[in-house]
Amino acid sequence: MTASFSPRQERLLILLLAGVQFTHLLDFMIVLPLGPEFMRLFNLSAAQFGTLVSSYTLASAAMGVLGLAWVDRFGRRSTLLAILGGFITATLACGAAQSHAWLLMARSIAGGCAGLMGAVIMSILADTIPGERRGRAIGTVMSSLGLSAVAGVPLSLGMANLLGWRAPFWAIGMLGALLWCGLFAVLPRLDAHVSSGPERQGPPVTALFTPGFALGWLLTFSVAFSSFLLIPYLSAFMVGNLGLKQTDLPWVYLAGGAATLLAARQVGRWVDRFGPARVLAALLVGTMVPHLGFSHLPASPLPVVMVAFVLFMSMTSTRPIPTLALISAKVPPPLRGRYMAMNMAASDGASGLAAWASGMLLVTAPGGALVGFGTAGWLAVGVTTVSLVILWTFGRGAVPLSAAPSSP
């Protein structure tokens, strides 16, 4: 049963939830282009910076798994406000960091809080938005990813260039505080599910651990892993190897984000027209060229780097669209929510492990250049090839996931 909202209240709620999603995505993404600054300021190696990036996603994945045991035991309003409050505090602590260890701890806490926000937000949408308008509401909230790339990252980088690297974290924390106040005023209790009893919770969590489901997680894991072998180090590579200035990065990310936003809409249309498996296969094959081309690019003028970056990001960042469409269609509705929560944890875990693994391969030369980035590009292509094999197996598999064990 959905909560009763006026059209104006409904629109306000959707915008607030989209703002929360935007805030935590921006909090994750802003560290990537600030890599050269962090490596210089805290004297970090590539491996240490990879650990800094992976701490956020690994904590997010861990909390996403742990949350399966307790997240439905409390009201949606109190759960989201508590998690968002912890996220705001941790983000402000990032801005106040005085050492690498301090920043690492604050990033881990922020990632842990962010790990559950997406699941809680989708649950609130299901509780409050009628089915005939729910798809549009979810689409609005999920569009925050493109918006954070198009507007958030360039604005945050410009702020960092003018006011220092701490400024974006303060701004994100203040935005989060405003959203917290808005949700406090708008959200009802939303605790009807707490007293629903175990008989209405659907199949048990053990139903998620069947071979067919595991193959879907493996596909998600491999797609995300191949992407994040390279993505965390793109800014450091562009500054250290390709000859760009730190002040050039906002323009590069603005172009890449705009291209990603446009490409995502087109990829969505292709998924509806040709099917998610075919579109995903085409994107996996297509991304091998920009992965190898960008990772082996010599020092080049800004326009050349920008074109290569646009091609890289627009293809790589849209691969999750057909991936999610494919696996969600294979999962029966009684298990879909918990499965997608676990699938998000698999994606976050892959992102963190890939950033760490790639950091172990890379060495920062005295001049700031990354040595071994080309090897990471070849490794990304290798993992992408594995993804194609998993996709072929997953698509051909006749395992009826709807036959997963359910509660009696």
Side-chain angles (χ1 to χ4, degrees):
M1 180 181 296
T2 59
S4 178
F5 282 92
S6 69
R8 181 176 177 274
Q9 290 173 323
E10 187 177 293
R11 289 193 296 270
L12 178 58
L13 175 62
I14 293 171
L15 288 176
L16 287 170
L17 294 177
V20 174
Q21 192 83 342
F22 169 82
T23 301
H24 91 73
L25 287 170
L26 179 58
D27 184 64
F28 167 68
M29 294 177 67
I30 189 58
V31 172
L32 305 182
L34 288 176
E37 180 70 9
F38 285 138
M39 294 170 76
R40 180 193 63 81
L41 183 66
F42 296 118
N43 194 27
L44 304 181
S45 65
Q48 288 174 312
F49 177 66
T51 301
L52 183 65
V53 173
S54 63
S55 65
Y56 192 100
T57 52
L58 290 177
S60 176
M63 187 58 70
V65 174
L66 293 174
L68 290 176
W70 61 267
V71 71
D72 285 328
R73 297 184 181 181
F74 306 97
R76 307 293 190 205
R77 179 180 188 269
S78 57
T79 300
L80 181 58
L81 291 177
I83 296 171
L84 181 56
F87 170 81
I88 293 167
T89 303
T91 300
L92 294 175
C94 291
Q98 301 296 321
S99 66
H100 172 228
W102 180 336
L103 186 60
L104 181 64
M105 178 63 68
R107 293 296 294 167
S108 298
I109 297 173
C113 293
L116 284 177
M117 280 201 282
V120 177
I121 286 172
M122 292 303 160
S123 297
I124 290 174
L125 290 176
D127 290 345
T128 57
I129 308 299
E132 64 270 17
R133 296 193 298 275
R134 195 172 299 153
R136 184 179 299 178
I138 293 174
T140 300
V141 171
M142 295 305 296
S143 68
S144 56
L145 174 60
L147 182 61
S148 63
V150 171
V153 172
L155 286 174
S156 298
L157 275 176
M159 186 182 298
N161 291 332
L162 290 174
L163 304 175
W165 68 269
R166 300 178 190 275
F169 293 104
W170 296 118
I172 293 170
M174 288 187 288
L175 175 60
L178 291 174
L179 292 168
W180 191 97
C181 293
L183 289 170
F184 183 85
V186 170
L187 270 181
R189 289 170 61 95
L190 295 178
D191 56 1
H193 65 282
V194 175
S195 58
S196 61
E199 68 277 3
R200 292 181 58 189
Q201 297 302 315
V205 174
T206 53
L208 298 174
F209 298 93
T210 61
F213 286 105
L215 197 62
W217 294 340
L218 189 59
L219 177 62
T220 296
F221 184 94
S222 62
V223 171
F225 192 92
S226 61
S227 300
F228 273 80
L229 283 168
L230 300 175
I231 287 177
Y233 304 97
L234 293 178
S235 58
F237 180 73
M238 287 187 285
V239 173
N241 297 64
L242 303 186
L244 266 60
K245 300 176 182 177
Q246 186 76 20
T247 52
D248 292 331
L249 293 182
W251 301 106
V252 175
Y253 275 87
L254 177 61
T260 299
L261 191 59
L262 295 174
R265 294 173 62 86
Q266 185 59 50
V267 168
R269 297 189 189 100
W270 286 341
V271 167
D272 291 337
R273 181 176 180 182
F274 301 109
R278 290 183 178 180
V279 175
L280 178 57
L283 285 174
L284 288 173
V285 173
T287 50
M288 293 183 184
V289 174
H291 283 185
L292 284 180
F294 196 90
S295 61
H296 290 81
L297 193 68
S300 305
L302 176 60
V304 174
V305 176
M306 191 172 292
V307 170
F309 185 81
V310 163
L311 181 62
F312 180 101
M313 292 302 296
S314 61
M315 297 188 69
T316 304
S317 298
T318 53
R319 297 194 303 184
I321 297 173
T323 304
L324 289 172
L326 177 64
I327 63 175
S328 63
K330 293 247 185 180
V331 182
L335 282 171
R336 190 167 292 150
R338 282 176 287 176
Y339 180 82
M340 297 309 291
M342 288 292 292
N343 192 72
M344 184 181 299
S347 178
D348 288 338
S351 302
L353 289 174
W356 173 80
S358 191
M360 298 297 291
L361 291 174
L362 301 176
V363 177
T364 306
L370 289 182
V371 179
F373 198 66
T375 302
W378 280 108
L379 182 59
V381 169
V383 178
T384 298
T385 304
V386 174
S387 300
L388 281 168
V389 176
I390 297 172
L391 173 62
W392 181 80
T393 306
F394 189 62
R396 285 174 56 88
V399 178
L401 298 186
S402 57
S406 60
S407 57

